[in-house]
Amino acid sequence: EVQLQASGGGSVHTGGTLRLSCAASGFTFDDYAVGWVRQAPGKEREGVACISSGNGNTYYTDSMKGRFTIAKDDAKNTFYLQMNSLRPEDTAVYYCAARRLLCGLQAVGGRPQVGIDYDYRGQGTLVTVSS
């Protein structure tokens, strides 16, 4: 059974930091790209960051570049999202997810952004950023 267990959400003020973790099991971790998707109240789901299997290439949606960092520990079957300089618009439920091999990208406004299509998705963890 595939499990993706996210943790680390919480409430911070603008400019604060949080580190999300996702513990994965039930699939061959090394063969999967892993990433994060978020959904804010009343808004559509949005890709946040992704790290591919193999070469470990990382991808970020534009609004997260320079503030968020995705990393993984293959030995622990765990991946992380370090979030710095948080803004109120980052408030959302963050879901960890996995898909075979490579990260999916989607064109938004003519620019490649992290996609939202994954094979597996875990339960979310709530991040609240107040001004």
Side-chain angles (χ1 to χ4, degrees):
E1 178 189 3
V2 172
Q3 290 192 349
L4 292 161
Q5 183 73 36
S7 61
S11 297
V12 297
H13 292 291
T14 299
T17 65
L18 283 173
R19 187 191 193 212
L20 306 183
S21 299
C22 183
S25 62
F27 61 96
T28 305
F29 191 73
D30 293 352
D31 291 344
Y32 280 73
V34 291
W36 297 87
V37 175
R38 73 184 186 183
Q39 189 162 22
K43 294 189 177 181
E44 294 185 352
R45 205 171 299 163
E46 178 182 31
V48 175
C50 185
I51 183 167
S52 284
S53 65
N55 57 25
N57 285 350
T58 57
Y59 304 88
Y60 300 90
T61 290
D62 282 349
S63 62
M64 291 76 165
K65 285 181 181 176
R67 301 189 300 124
F68 291 7
T69 302
I70 188 170
K72 64 174 182 169
D73 186 334
D74 288 340
K76 296 181 178 179
N77 283 12
T78 301
F79 58 105
Y80 309 92
L81 184 69
Q82 177 68 41
M83 304 188 294
N84 300 329
S85 302
L86 283 162
R87 306 166 179 167
E89 54 265 37
D90 294 318
T91 295
V93 176
Y94 285 71
Y95 300 90
C96 56
R99 58 177 283 153
R100 282 279 294 171
L101 296 178
L102 299 176
C103 294
L105 302 177
Q106 58 185 22
V108 179
R111 290 183 55 80
Q113 305 293 296
V114 177
I116 61 171
D117 293 326
Y118 287 85
D119 298 318
Y120 306 113
R121 195 184 75 183
Q123 97 295 350
T125 186
L126 176 62
V127 172
T128 303
V129 185
S130 57
S131 58

